[in-house]
Amino acid sequence: MLINKCLSIICFLPVAYFFADYAHAFTDSEDLRRKEAISLMAAGEYDAAKEILEEMSKKGLSSALVRNEQQKLLGQVQLRLEDYNGAIASFTNVIDFPRAERTTALINRCYAYLQLNLLLDAQRDCSEGRHIIERVNLTNLSKDTSEGTQAFRQISLSMVEAEIFVNLGQPEQALEVLYSSREIVEDANLEIKNYWGLLLSIAEISSSIGQYKNSLKILDEIEHIIPNTERHRLLAARASTLRGMGDVDGAVTNWTDAYNASLEVGHHAETNIGYLFLACAHLIQEGRNEDALSPCNAAAEANPKSALYAEANAFAITQAYGLSAGAKEINRATQLSLNSPIRAFVAQKLFEQIPSVTGIIENLYDLTSLEVESNQP
């Protein structure tokens, strides 16, 4: 059974949902750079957005409020770039700001802690965020918080809490939280196209506990609303589900399509080469070594420093064409990892090609006996 890649929760949600609230506080120059950063984020150009936001800090900002908003954006970018320590620092700056709206920053910092497997820190932030949301719901203390914004915060928090449940080995509880969030989307009449990540999470977790038909149904539901830049995630989720159902060919096709889809939107080959490795590994698992040659070789070439990919490629070549054909890749794998398990595999293959030691001794004994008998008078 596949272990799904860690869910990218917060980053699935609409970009810069809250960042227009304080636009009036920015100077014209700051507002221009802020809007440019938001546009780059929406286009997936996170490195460029980070450069602009960091440059804003270096040149100095007109007010503490502007710095607070700049740190929110920078934290979002750092999450996307998987700089979780940086994101924690940025969102901490927001949380510590006296006039800050803490809820969103707490949710984002909770997510960053979660990616570093700091579950207690994640639970602390999520619990505080949940307390604030529930207090606002009960007392309606915040006149500035619209129903849509409040719903957004509840959904984003629930999605992070669901991932905590997944990490704790409680997928059923995660699904319960996510289905509650789906009801919020429907009750608040929010556009589902902005919450495709919520449905994708439901599909992935459903697949992980064997609810394959439900998973495929949800994947079909979001196929036409998921952004093209994220289509590879949907294809990978479908591949995992099909593999769980025993459809190896369907799974391999979708993993291959996921890899190609990621290339089409400008991702580097090594970024999502894991999709091809999954196709390679599961074909090997099924004993289809010749079919595995193409994805195994592509994975090994895309990341030549990976001992794991080299080992899989060496195994597929050797199983398909023999030990001599795989010798070069075997040597490369052992150079990348001195403790490579490919060594034991090679020893086994060599042993299979050599007559048993017992047989050799028996033959020598027989020949010696014949020679002794022939020399007797």
Side-chain angles (χ1 to χ4, degrees), residues 5-293:
K5 183 181 178 181
C6 190
L7 303 174
S8 299
I9 301 296
I10 293 296
C11 297
F12 280 154
L13 299 172
V15 174
Y17 195 96
F18 299 105
F19 301 128
D21 294 348
Y22 302 104
H24 64 276
F26 290 75
T27 65
D28 289 343
S29 175
E30 289 168 343
D31 194 44
L32 182 64
R33 283 179 287 172
R34 178 185 73 92
K35 289 178 179 177
E36 186 178 358
I38 291 173
S39 296
L40 288 167
M41 290 170 67
E45 300 290 339
Y46 301 107
D47 286 312
K50 181 182 179 184
E51 185 176 341
I52 290 173
L53 293 167
E54 289 179 339
E55 189 66 24
M56 287 178 70
S57 293
K58 292 176 183 177
K59 291 184 177 180
L61 298 170
S62 61
S63 70
L65 184 58
V66 170
R67 180 178 181 275
N68 186 54
E69 295 304 300
Q70 176 262 350
Q71 288 290 298
K72 284 183 185 179
L73 281 170
L74 181 59
Q76 286 283 346
V77 169
Q78 288 164 325
L79 283 182
R80 266 299 197 174
L81 294 174
E82 299 183 2
D83 177 11
Y84 301 118
N85 287 312
I88 289 169
S90 295
F91 290 125
T92 299
N93 289 335
V94 176
I95 292 166
D96 290 344
F97 183 62
R99 296 166 57 192
E101 186 287 297
R102 295 169 56 84
T103 315
T104 308
L106 282 166
I107 295 169
N108 281 285
R109 193 173 70 172
C110 172
Y111 176 77
Y113 278 134
L114 185 57
Q115 304 317 302
L116 297 174
N117 204 33
L118 299 172
L119 294 183
L120 291 178
D121 292 307
Q123 288 175 317
R124 181 198 64 213
D125 276 5
C126 278
S127 295
E128 185 177 349
R130 174 66 66 188
H131 174 72
I132 295 172
I133 288 173
E134 290 176 351
R135 186 179 62 177
V136 171
N137 284 341
L138 289 172
T139 62
N140 196 25
L141 291 176
S142 177
K143 296 180 180 179
D144 298 327
T145 304
S146 68
E147 182 181 356
T149 298
Q150 188 68 356
F152 174 87
R153 290 171 181 165
Q154 290 182 38
I155 294 165
S156 57
L157 176 59
S158 294
M159 292 176 74
V160 181
E161 288 177 328
E163 188 171 356
I164 292 176
F165 279 127
V166 169
N167 283 14
L168 292 173
Q170 301 171 10
E172 291 82 4
Q173 288 88 333
L175 281 178
E176 184 177 338
V177 169
L178 293 176
Y179 276 118
S180 295
S181 291
R182 181 168 186 171
E183 290 178 5
I184 293 173
V185 173
E186 295 169 350
D187 292 344
N189 294 318
L190 301 176
E191 290 189 86
I192 194 65
K193 69 178 182 180
N194 289 330
Y195 296 92
W196 59 268
L198 169 64
L199 299 185
L200 181 59
S201 296
I202 293 174
E204 289 182 317
I205 297 173
S206 295
S207 178
S208 73
I209 59 175
Q211 297 179 7
Y212 302 124
K213 290 184 178 180
N214 183 53
S215 177
L216 290 177
K217 180 181 178 182
I218 295 172
L219 292 174
D220 289 342
E221 183 180 347
I222 64 175
E223 185 166 12
H224 301 295
I225 62 174
I226 192 170
N228 193 48
T229 54
E230 305 294 343
R231 181 171 171 76
H232 64 98
R233 297 181 185 275
L234 180 142
L235 292 166
R238 181 177 285 138
S240 297
T241 301
L242 291 172
R243 181 65 181 99
M245 298 174 72
D247 183 359
V248 179
D249 289 325
V252 168
T253 297
N254 276 273
W255 275 318
T256 304
D257 289 346
Y259 175 69
N260 292 330
S262 72
L263 293 182
E264 288 173 4
V265 295
H267 292 181
H268 295 298
E270 62 270 20
T271 302
N272 289 313
I273 196 62
Y275 294 144
L276 285 186
F277 177 70
L278 287 170
C280 155
H282 285 276
L283 285 168
I284 288 176
Q285 188 178 42
E286 294 295 310
R288 295 169 56 178
N289 298 297
E290 291 191 21
D291 292 336
L293 290 172

Side-chain angles (χ1 to χ4, degrees), residues 270 298-307 309-310 329 332 336:
E270 62 270 20
E301 287 186 349
N303 189 350
K305 294 183 179 180
S306 170
Y309 294 173
E329 193 70 350
R332 193 172 74 86
L336 289 169

Side-chain angles (χ1 to χ4, degrees), residues 347-372:
Q348 180 184 351
K349 297 296 288 186
L350 287 171
F351 188 77
E352 290 173 357
Q353 295 179 20
I354 299 175
S356 70
V357 175
T358 302
I360 293 174
I361 293 173
E362 289 176 349
N363 290 334
L364 287 173
Y365 178 80
D366 292 341
L367 288 172
T368 303
S369 298
L370 288 173
E371 186 176 351
V372 170

